[in-house]
Amino acid sequence: MIPVSWYLIVAGLLFGLGAFGVLVRRNVLVMFMSIELMLNAVNLTFVSFSRALNDVGGQVAVFFVLVVAAAEVVVGLGIIVALFRRRSTVTVDDVARLKG
Amino acid sequence: MILGVVGMVNAIVFAVAVLIALLGGAGLVSARQPVHAALFLVLTLFGVAVLFLQQGAQFLAAVQIVVYAGAVVVLFLFVIMLLGVDRVEVRALVGSGWRVWAAAVGVIAVLAELGFLLAGHEVTGAEALAGSLSAGTNLGVLARSVFTTYVLPFELTSVLLVIAVVGAVVLARRIRVEDGTKHEPREEVGS
């Protein structure tokens, strides 16, 4: 079998790519997708440790992360749609002010 | 060979899946159009699903494909089409100067710290109460854990999903005033 540390390195690289995307992109949709990428990298870590420790708890955690991520996507896209209706933009630099 | 045939196949599957996942991640970060970014996200999710499968998490791999690559990305694409935000960004990365480098340095620092943490030892070494993974089939073990030990969180996720759906409806609906005309969004004052 492939050693667990290799999976963890891959998960770390994916997480780094996602974090980099959130930091350097300004399109709010792409930032949101980068967050999904980070969540997925953490899921990979959970599954790897679940296999390493022979414990199903990690996979249960991934299950709940998937559910919460689905809810998060629904609410986040609702916010993006509302934002676009109000300001006609999806660039976060254009919505830097907190005033409604 | 030291690895043997099975080990060889495992290594090849691992390498291809990692390549797919990292390619998708790099494409997601650097794509200029949101549609391309969503398709690269599918690529990454597929690669990670293969890695799940390789580690014996069959159920999660299936859910990953169905829920993530199916439902979530379709939702993303739907919103992209709905908003008509198919304009190409001038540059994929903002600033393209010191800000990108600063972001890269920050990310690498966080990853290095994670690596140091990984090199340490387990904190407690205590047994978890979720159950052993090798006690049966993957789906059976997972289901037993979710419906016994974690049954309360599982029920609470239904509340969470209802709240999310209601919240999305409230956020996305148009506000109408009483004479039936649409409420015009207020213009932003100044810039």
Side-chain angles (χ1 to χ4, degrees):
Chain A
M1 289 296 281
I2 313 287
V4 171
S5 53
W6 291 22
Y7 289 101
L8 296 180
I9 291 168
V10 172
L13 288 175
L14 282 178
F15 187 89
L17 276 172
F20 188 70
V22 173
L23 287 173
V24 302
R25 296 302 298 261
R26 283 299 167 263
N27 185 319
V28 70
L29 280 161
V30 180
M31 288 173 78
F32 202 25
M33 289 181 219
S34 300
I35 292 173
E36 295 300 316
L37 185 61
M38 290 162 77
L39 280 172
N40 228 262
V42 174
N43 283 351
L44 183 56
T45 315
F46 267 126
V47 171
S48 303
F49 275 121
S50 170
R51 195 195 82 187
L53 303 176
N54 190 21
D55 186 338
V56 78
Q59 296 196 7
V60 175
V62 173
F63 179 76
F64 286 120
V65 167
L66 285 172
V67 175
V68 174
E72 174 229 345
V73 164
V74 169
V75 175
L77 288 178
I79 290 173
I80 291 173
V81 168
L83 175 74
F84 188 77
R85 285 220 180 111
R86 202 171 184 94
R87 298 281 174 85
S88 299
T89 182
V90 287
T91 308
V92 284
D93 283 343
D94 295 342
V95 282
R97 303 188 327 170
L98 280 176
K99 286 187 201 168
Chain B
M1 288 298 297
I2 310 166
L3 288 171
V5 177
V6 176
M8 196 75 173
V9 170
N10 256 334
I12 291 171
V13 168
F14 177 80
V16 170
V18 166
L19 203 65
I20 287 174
L22 291 181
L23 199 71
L28 167 62
V29 171
S30 60
R32 290 191 175 185
Q33 294 196 17
V35 177
H36 294 172
L39 296 178
F40 276 122
L41 182 62
V42 175
L43 206 60
T44 304
L45 297 176
F46 179 75
V48 174
V50 172
L51 293 180
F52 280 1
L53 206 56
Q54 206 178 16
Q55 299 194 83
Q58 292 97 353
F59 175 70
L60 292 176
V63 169
Q64 167 104 340
I65 295 291
V66 172
V67 173
Y68 254 114
V72 167
V73 174
V74 166
L75 207 58
F76 267 113
L77 289 172
F78 192 74
V79 168
I80 290 168
M81 298 301 163
L82 186 72
L83 301 185
V85 282
D86 49 0
R87 293 186 296 271
V88 179
E89 285 186 74
V90 181
R91 278 196 307 264
L93 310 178
V94 284
S96 72
W98 63 272
R99 278 204 281 187
V100 173
W101 289 108
V105 168
V107 168
I108 290 169
V110 169
L111 289 183
E113 173 139 8
L114 282 177
F116 283 128
L117 279 178
L118 196 63
H121 297 287
E122 291 174 42
V123 179
T124 61
E127 288 282 319
L129 43 74
S132 169
L133 196 58
S134 57
T137 60
N138 174 247
L139 187 54
V141 171
L142 195 58
R144 187 165 297 117
S145 187
V146 166
F147 288 114
T148 56
T149 313
Y150 295 102
V151 68
L152 184 62
F154 178 71
E155 295 296 333
L156 286 178
T157 56
S158 62
V159 179
L160 178 72
L161 287 173
V162 170
I163 292 171
V165 169
V166 173
V169 170
V170 169
L171 279 170
R173 72 173 177 173
R174 287 180 192 277
I175 303 164
R176 291 173 189 279
V177 291
E178 292 194 353
D179 56 15
T181 55
K182 278 180 199 157
H183 176 75
E184 291 294 324
R186 272 186 292 157
E187 291 296 318
E188 189 180 357
V189 183
S191 103

